[in-house]
Amino acid sequence: MNSLSPGQLQSILSQSAPPSIEDATPLYRNDLRFRRLFSSEFWSHFIDQLPHFSESQAGGITFLPDGGVLSSSLSGMLIAKKDLTLNGNTSFRGLLLHLGEGKLTLSEQAEVVGGVWMSNLDSSGTDLRSRPISFKMSGNSALHFSRPAISEALARIPPTQLGWRMLYPDRV
């Protein structure tokens, strides 16, 4: 928030009362449903599986491990590492996860409708460590929170098999 000018801060809109940006770590760290997000094992597994998720037939999940520049419309779930720039008239609808190791930039008339979740986690050790994140907005770029767009994006994540068992019908 400190790196945004007052005009840019007004371009980040949520459906609730201000603030539109907040560090939600304390809220989620103490919630049993989300506690798994704070384990190294979860993030190591998630990052290892990302290429498979993005190549699945279901579609809607785009993974950019080396970042890049987007200048076209896209929807679903966009997951990126390193420097990622949305510029021009880029329109993204869904959930944008920026996993760090670079900067997320919205420039010119770029627009995100849905949500942005940023982290820069180090899961190489047993304890998950958080590093600084970098976000920049310029021009007339905008970020509009939309719960339905986020829900549509999350529905594209394929289920993970936790276990299985074989059932045999009773023979008479």
Side-chain angles (χ1 to χ4, degrees), residues 2-158:
N2 294 338
S3 65
L4 299 173
S5 71
Q8 291 171 327
L9 192 56
Q10 293 173 1
S11 295
I12 302 173
L13 306 172
S14 70
Q15 291 179 333
S16 61
S20 296
I21 301 174
E22 67 179 300
D23 180 359
T25 303
L27 297 171
Y28 292 117
R29 188 178 301 272
N30 297 322
D31 189 319
L32 291 176
R33 297 172 296 168
F34 299 106
R35 189 170 290 168
R36 184 98 171 105
L37 288 175
F38 296 95
S39 75
S40 283
E41 296 84 17
F42 172 84
W43 287 104
S44 295
H45 174 74
F46 181 74
I47 290 169
D48 288 345
Q49 297 303 312
L50 270 175
H52 304 296
F53 290 163
S54 61
E55 294 170 0
S56 73
Q57 297 298 322
I61 299 176
T62 303
F63 178 45
L64 303 174
D66 296 317
V69 177
L70 293 180
S71 55
S72 61
S73 295
L74 188 64
S75 65
M77 183 174 284
L78 174 59
I79 305 168
K81 293 174 84 173
K82 302 187 180 170
D83 291 333
L84 176 66
T85 301
L86 281 67
N87 68 12
N89 290 322
T90 301
S91 175
F92 175 72
R93 177 180 171 81
L95 180 59
L96 193 159
L97 287 135
H98 190 269
L99 301 179
E101 297 181 29
K103 181 187 298 186
L104 173 61
T105 303
L106 302 181
S107 65
E108 300 173 23
Q109 286 80 35
E111 177 183 50
V112 174
V113 176
V116 173
W117 190 79
M118 296 183 69
S119 67
N120 193 5
L121 302 173
D122 178 3
S123 61
S124 61
T126 54
D127 292 332
L128 190 63
R129 290 181 303 237
S130 182
R131 299 176 293 213
I133 60 173
S134 182
F135 178 57
K136 179 181 178 184
M137 292 181 73
S138 63
N140 292 319
S141 58
L143 171 57
H144 302 281
F145 177 78
S146 170
R147 192 174 308 277
I150 294 170
S151 295
E152 291 167 19
L154 290 173
R156 296 174 185 258
I157 297 175

